[in-house]
C-alpha cells in the first residue's frame, strides 16, 4: 500500500520561507517520478514542480521558478519542497505526488495535503 504524507505547512508572513516534506512508503523516491501540486478553493489542482529523477530533469512553473526547489533524501525516502520569498498568492493546500503515468501530468499516488497560508 502506497502512502504519501505531507508536513511542514503553516502560517507565515510574506517573504518568509517554509520547507514542506513528503514522506513515502510503498513507493521509492529513488526511482519514481514525483511532483508537488497546489490547490486553492474553487480552483483546480495545479502542478508547480516536478522531477524525473533518473534523467535529472526538473520542472518549475513560472510563478515559483527561482523561489521553490524540489529535493529528495533517498535514505529517508522523503521529498521536500523548499519555498523561499513566499507571497500571499502562494497560499494553498500543497500536495505531493508520485508515480507519474507515462509522460502525462497524472500521478498514481497523491498525499492528503498540507495547508500553507502566507499573510501580507
Amino acid at each position: 500500500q502506497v502512502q504519501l504524507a505531507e508536513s511542514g505547512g503553516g502560517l507565515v508572513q510574506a517573504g518568509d520561507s517554509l520547507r514542506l516534506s513528503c514522506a513515502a512508503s510503498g513507493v521509492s523516491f529513488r526511482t519514481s517520478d514525483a511532483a508537488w501540486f497546489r490547490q486553492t478553493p474553487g480552483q483546480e489542482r495545479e502542478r508547480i514542480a516536478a522531477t524525473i529523477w533518473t534523467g535529472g530533469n526538473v520542472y518549475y512553473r513560472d510563478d515559483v521558478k527561482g523561489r521553490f526547489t524540489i529535493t529528495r533524501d533517498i535514505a529517508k525516502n522523503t521529498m521536500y519542497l523548499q519555498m523561499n520569498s513566499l507571497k500571499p498568492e502562494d497560499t494553498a493546500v500543497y500536495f505531493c505526488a508520485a508515480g507519474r503515468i507515462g509522460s502525462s501530468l497524472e500521478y498514481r499516488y497523491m498525499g492528503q495535503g498540507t495547508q500553507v497560508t502566507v499573510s501580507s
Side-chain angles (χ1 to χ4, degrees), residues 2-82:
V2 174
Q3 288 188 326
L4 301 174
E6 302 94 338
S7 61
L11 172 64
V12 297
Q13 293 186 332
D16 286 350
S17 298
L18 273 179
R19 189 179 75 161
L20 305 183
S21 300
C22 175
S25 60
V27 63
S28 172
F29 283 135
R30 178 187 296 275
T31 56
S32 177
D33 295 345
W36 286 95
F37 288 74
R38 71 185 184 190
Q39 185 173 25
T40 55
Q43 302 296 317
E44 291 189 358
R45 195 171 300 178
E46 299 178 308
R47 192 180 69 165
I48 58 168
T51 187
I52 302 173
W53 301 122
T54 54
N57 296 314
V58 182
Y59 157 82
Y60 296 101
R61 205 172 66 179
D62 285 346
D63 57 344
V64 306
K65 194 177 297 182
R67 299 188 298 123
F68 290 11
T69 305
I70 189 171
T71 59
R72 61 176 171 167
D73 184 327
I74 293 174
K76 296 181 178 180
N77 204 25
T78 299
M79 180 174 66
Y80 303 97
L81 183 68
Q82 178 66 43

